[in-house]
Amino acid sequence: NDVDKQDANIFAKALWQPVRGLSLFADLQYRYVDYKAWGVNDNFDWNTMQMQPIDVDKQYHFFNPRLGVSCAFAEYHKFYASAAIAHKEPTRSDFTDRYMFAKDQTQPNPERLYDYEAGYNYSSPNLTLGANFYYMQYKDQLIPTGMVNDSSDALNVNVPDSYRLGAEFTAAWNITNWLTLGGNATLSRNKILDYVDLLADSPTYGENLGTMTIAYSPDVVASAYLDLHARGFEAVLRTQHVGKQYFTNNEVEALSLDAYTVTNLDLAYTLKTRSAKSVRFGVTIYNLLNASYCSNGYGYSYMWDGVRYDEAYYFPQAPLHALANVTVKF
């Protein structure tokens, strides 16, 4: 098959500083996308018993504005806020793989995002703190269905109304000149409003399931690290926590990933030699506490002879293991 994609954009930026420490900015972008694809795909359609034909001829006109304000006050404090509209066109697989779950012959729609953010930063020589609050309202967001194609790429579907609401926090503290403690966390709520299940073989096809959690969207993601560094030696202990995730948008317990926490340890020593600028000997110990967890997976539901089946496939991660490396800079 053949594909012809043309992408063009024009933009303007403006920055105004009426007084010291106060900045007002505006970004305006117009983007044009022309996407054509024709021929025969390498997917075999068992419904028609033929190779899948491709016939895509789409033109998109996107206007993406962004307005914001930034205010630096005192010595280390900064506040900012912004509002923006952004668009995203469907990918090739959103067109070609749609037949695998859709009952109709329609094509995917582009996404539209209304993004509102506000935050605060504190940055001193020994301590940095940050908080960012966001509300992302979507029109026709393309979200994972839980299913994958023959290449293990996610199959996406449009949902008319959805949002992501959350808060992001970051911190880093230089306790001494050789010890740093830091971390970050994101707390979020990711929901589809009035979700109508349009997956062809789903047991709840055509039903309005109400407010549902967006697939692969944990409510909590957090990490922390302790960094010890002195005279060429460095040891970094990192711990990450990821909350529960659903494969599908139906909140089916059998099609979900449990929350997990994993810890890694990086050890390194760097020395200088006459023949090289530096030689770094390092070793990373992954999954230091030998946790049993799965970081990803996929699944779907279907009916067969009046019986519901929920099929889930998981990607279990390795237990404690290590990787050593040597880096030489000349």
Side-chain angles (χ1 to χ4, degrees):
N1 62 83
D2 293 295
V3 174
D4 180 18
K5 182 175 182 179
Q6 300 179 25
D7 192 325
N9 74 85
I10 185 172
F11 65 90
K13 292 177 176 287
L15 175 64
W16 181 37
Q17 295 178 304
V19 295
R20 183 178 179 180
L22 178 64
S23 298
L24 305 175
F25 63 88
D27 299 340
L28 303 175
Q29 183 202 51
Y30 166 75
R31 181 167 174 251
Y32 169 76
V33 178
D34 182 275
Y35 185 70
K36 295 183 176 66
W38 63 96
V40 179
N41 199 16
D42 60 353
N43 291 333
F44 186 79
D45 188 344
W46 291 96
N47 295 319
T48 62
M49 298 303 293
Q50 294 179 345
M51 301 304 291
Q52 180 198 12
I54 298 179
D55 183 15
V56 181
D57 187 356
K58 292 289 186 179
Q59 292 77 42
Y60 303 105
H61 301 272
F62 297 143
F63 177 58
N64 301 319
R66 181 170 179 255
L67 303 173
V69 59
S70 174
C71 179
F73 57 96
E75 186 177 3
Y76 305 126
H77 305 269
K78 181 180 179 181
F79 168 82
Y80 61 88
S82 67
I85 300 176
H87 298 81
K88 178 184 176 184
E89 71 274 17
T91 65
R92 181 182 189 277
S93 61
D94 291 329
F95 287 103
T96 60
D97 295 335
R98 187 176 175 85
Y99 82 100
M100 299 177 70
F101 63 83
K103 277 195 172 183
D104 54 37
Q105 300 298 317
T106 60
Q107 294 182 334
N109 297 321
E111 295 181 340
R112 176 180 296 173
L113 164 65
Y114 300 90
D115 180 38
Y116 308 94
E117 299 194 26
Y120 164 79
N121 288 329
Y122 173 85
S123 181
S124 69
N126 293 321
L127 178 65
T128 60
L129 300 171
N132 184 68
F133 304 92
Y134 64 88
Y135 175 62
M136 306 168 72
Q137 181 184 6
Y138 290 88
K139 176 65 176 176
D140 291 328
Q141 183 180 183
L142 281 161
I143 59 174
T145 62
M147 297 182 289
V148 298
N149 62 15
D150 295 337
S151 301
S152 297
D153 299 319
L155 301 182
N156 301 315
V157 65
N158 287 115
V159 290
D161 297 302
S162 59
Y163 70 87
R164 299 181 186 272
L165 172 68
E168 302 168 317
F169 303 98
T170 60
W173 177 28
N174 295 322
I175 303 172
T176 69
N177 59 0
W178 51 267
L179 186 63
T180 302
L181 175 66
N184 60 75
T186 299
L187 309 177
S188 63
R189 181 177 173 85
N190 312 281
K191 297 294 182 178
I192 309 169
L193 302 177
D194 295 321
Y195 174 56
V196 177
D197 187 353
L198 295 178
L199 306 184
D201 297 324
S202 173
T204 55
Y205 175 79
E207 295 183 20
N208 187 328
L209 302 179
T211 300
M212 292 281 111
T213 300
I214 300 174
Y216 300 99
S217 300
D219 291 342
V220 179
V221 176
S223 67
Y225 69 89
L226 185 65
D227 185 346
L228 187 154
H229 43 275
R231 297 183 179 181
F233 174 76
E234 185 175 22
V236 183
L237 184 68
R238 303 178 189 273
T239 297
Q240 182 185 37
H241 174 80
V242 178
K244 180 178 179 179
Q245 304 173 65
Y246 291 101
F247 296 157
T248 69
N249 301 290
N250 304 33
E251 295 187 6
V252 178
E253 292 298 322
L255 303 174
S256 63
L257 278 172
D258 292 336
Y260 64 88
T261 303
V262 62
T263 300
N264 301 325
L265 175 63
D266 292 310
L267 300 172
Y269 183 74
T270 303
L271 56 87
K272 295 183 179 181
T273 67
R274 293 182 178 180
S275 57
K277 289 183 179 180
S278 66
V279 180
R280 183 181 184 273
F281 300 92
V283 61
T284 300
I285 304 174
Y286 295 96
N287 198 357
L288 181 66
L289 303 180
N290 207 34
S292 297
Y293 72 101
C294 295
S295 64
N296 205 348
Y298 65 95
Y300 50 88
S301 302
Y302 63 93
M303 299 293 293
W304 184 264
D305 287 340
V307 179
R308 175 183 176 134
Y309 293 88
D310 298 314
E311 292 199 6
Y313 301 85
Y314 296 91
F315 298 93
Q317 298 303 297
L320 185 149
H321 60 290
L323 177 66
N325 61 82
V326 177
T327 303
V328 180
K329 291 185 177 180
F330 296 99

